[in-house]
Amino acid sequence: MESTIKSGEQLAINKSNKILVMVGLMLGLIFSELDETVVNTTMPTIIRDLGGLSLYGWVAGVYMLALSSFMPILGKLADLFGRKKIYLIAMAFFICGSIVCGLSHSMTFLLIGRGIQGLGAGGLMPLAMTISSDIFPVEQRAKVQSLMGPVMFIPMLLGPLMGGFFVDQVSWHWIFFINIPVGVLAAALLASGLRETVERKKVAID
């Protein structure tokens, strides 16, 4: 099977727009993490509307289970087929999961959407760190990744505020719909900013 494969050395570092790529990665990271904190805040309202109190714990559990399960799989696929391609596929899954969650009329639908979201998030988080390492020279990588750590505190601070706002002023459905334009923007920034050098190889999937 003919596939595209690349490594850190094969990325065209000098041709990538580092600012666009980093902004896209940061947006993806923030919203994949923010989704978890916002949902936790709005769960009482969601349970009131959809019922299914017995499935309360699975709303977060299925997300984390899918994320943890697919993180190593998507990481390996990114090594085989290219980080950019797999990252964009992961973002597509996250957006699709958000649409399913936003349109949910039952807890079963909500759990399916959360599983799809978790699958996407399993690619967004590790690939953000990998891509940010690849587009910078070795001597700058530690500095860049140290800046990404504090970004993870943003979802913890904004999650409860956003959850309360959407529940009080709009609808809990919009905590998922808001992911769609942001996800599309993050994907567009990364797609336009990241340049890859690729080579054709036969790839065997174990």
Side-chain angles (χ1 to χ4, degrees), residues 8-161:
E9 290 74 20
Q10 294 170 313
L11 278 170
I13 293 177
N14 295 328
K15 294 182 180 180
S16 293
N17 188 318
K18 297 180 178 63
I19 294 177
L20 285 182
V21 173
M22 289 305 297
V23 171
L25 293 177
M26 292 292 188
L27 285 175
L29 267 179
I30 289 172
F31 268 80
S32 60
E33 285 289 329
L34 188 63
D35 190 80
E36 184 66 21
T37 56
V38 172
V39 170
N40 289 339
T41 304
T42 57
M43 274 309 298
T45 303
I46 294 175
I47 292 295
R48 185 189 64 201
D49 288 353
L50 300 182
L53 181 61
S54 61
L55 299 174
Y56 184 101
W58 277 104
V59 175
V62 73
Y63 181 88
M64 295 305 299
L65 181 62
L67 186 154
S68 303
S69 300
F70 282 92
M71 188 179 292
I73 296 173
L74 293 174
K76 183 60 177 178
L77 290 176
D79 290 338
L80 296 176
F81 298 106
R83 290 162 175 74
K84 181 177 179 179
K85 181 186 296 185
I86 300 301
Y87 184 91
L88 294 178
I89 291 174
M91 181 61 78
F93 272 108
F94 188 79
I95 293 173
C96 289
S98 298
I99 294 173
V100 174
C101 289
L103 296 175
S104 295
H105 52 77
S106 68
M107 283 296 289
T108 301
F109 255 76
L110 182 65
L111 292 179
I112 292 172
R114 292 292 286 165
I116 299 172
Q117 276 189 312
L119 191 161
L124 298 181
M125 296 180 184
L127 290 181
M129 301 298 291
T130 304
I131 294 172
S132 65
S133 296
D134 287 342
I135 64 174
F136 287 94
V138 175
E139 61 272 14
Q140 296 180 9
R141 291 176 184 175
K143 182 189 298 184
V144 171
Q145 292 194 351
S146 69
L147 296 176
M148 297 182 74
V151 170
M152 305 309 292
F153 286 101
I154 296 177
M156 299 179 189
L157 297 174
L158 293 183
L161 295 176

